[in-house]
Amino acid sequence: NAGVTQTPKFRILKIGQSMTLQCTQDMNHNYMYWYRQDPGMGLKLIYYSVGAGITDKGEVPNGYNVSRSTTEDFPLRLELAAPSQTSVYFCASRLQGREHNEQFFGPGTRLTVL
Amino acid sequence: QQQVKQSPQSLIVQKGGISIINCAYENTAFDYFPWYQQFPGKGPALLIAIRPDVSEKKEGRFTISFNKSAKQFSLHIMDSQPGDSATYFCAASLRGGANNLFFGTGTRLTVIP
């Protein structure tokens, strides 16, 4: 198993551009998450999904959109990139159920908006 | 508003020493408290976790101490090694729903040889 994979690893955007961060998992996990990590702030949940076709907002959803058309993929879309979206983005997944709380994280995408 | 408060922000420990990182929370509906370890350039990985029905959990050199009445929990790393140098995050999740995690702000641990 490759686990959770994210592309790209790095990206520089200009203000106002848009892009999609890709996330794929091959563990057949129902739940998937997008976090952003800023220095000294920990990880903040952007969006999450409990299954294909079902998504919901986390703590910091403004400026982002998601979709979940398959179990494996959970792309994060940035529209009209702003400097405040400069961050490291992590995708995570886990199995459904109270006994399966462990989230498995991808390697991250480092995004800079100039 | 930070749901889980973590301290210290950074910690330097001699090899063989004990590293202690503390976290506090307010929401009594939290029922799962994991610690994640993150090395530079990598995603976080689960280290150890506890539920509030026990006061301590030990896995090798890593121990979580949990104080339900004080709403605090801590990570103890015994016999700290240079390979333990990483950033540690505590977190908490609510009962039910998608069990979303609320993370602390992280502690950068450096173990000096």
Side-chain angles (χ1 to χ4, degrees), chain B residues 19-92:
Chain B
S19 304
I20 301 174
I21 305 170
N22 300 298
C23 285
Y25 64 97
E26 285 298 324
N27 192 337
T28 55
F30 286 143
D31 82 334
Y32 174 72
F33 301 89
W35 286 89
Y36 278 77
Q37 180 187 55
Q38 184 181 31
F39 293 104
K42 305 291 186 184
L46 180 66
L47 184 63
I48 187 172
I50 197 168
R51 291 202 183 271
D53 51 347
V54 297
S55 60
E56 185 175 282
K57 184 174 181 181
K58 184 176 181 178
E59 290 183 0
R61 296 184 292 109
F62 302 91
T63 300
I64 298 179
S65 295
F66 187 83
N67 186 328
K68 189 173 180 178
S69 60
K71 291 184 280 188
Q72 295 174 346
F73 59 110
S74 59
L75 176 69
H76 296 236
I77 306 174
M78 312 298 289
D79 187 26
S80 298
Q81 299 297 313
D84 296 330
S85 297
T87 300
Y88 293 81
F89 293 95
C90 62

Side-chain angles (χ1 to χ4, degrees), chain A residues 7 23-24 28-29 38 42 49-50 52 66 76-77 89 93 95 107:
Chain A
T7 56
C23 174
T24 299
N28 203 29
H29 286 175
D38 301 301
S49 169
V50 299
V66 294
L76 178 71
R77 178 85 177 160
Y89 291 84
S93 72
L95 284 168

Side-chain angles (χ1 to χ4, degrees), chain A residues 20-97:
Chain A
T20 300
L21 283 67
Q22 301 292 345
C23 174
T24 299
Q25 54 89 12
D26 62 357
M27 298 175 282
N28 203 29
H29 286 175
N30 310 81
Y31 289 17
M32 295 188 74
Y33 307 83
W34 273 106
Y35 295 90
R36 58 177 290 171
Q37 183 177 27
D38 301 301
M41 297 296 291
L43 289 90
K44 298 288 187 184
L45 183 65
I46 304 171
Y47 270 95
Y48 66 98
S49 169
V50 299
I54 306 170
T55 62
D56 207 347
K57 297 177 181 177
E59 297 177 81
V60 290
N62 291 346
Y64 307 95
N65 278 301
V66 294
S67 60
R68 183 99 182 268
S69 57
T70 67
T71 299
E72 296 78 18
D73 300 306
F74 190 38
L76 178 71
R77 178 85 177 160
L78 278 71
E79 306 281 3
L80 298 174
S84 61
Q85 293 178 304
T86 294
S87 188
V88 181
Y89 291 84
F90 289 100
C91 179
S93 72
R94 71 171 181 92
L95 284 168
Q96 182 179 359

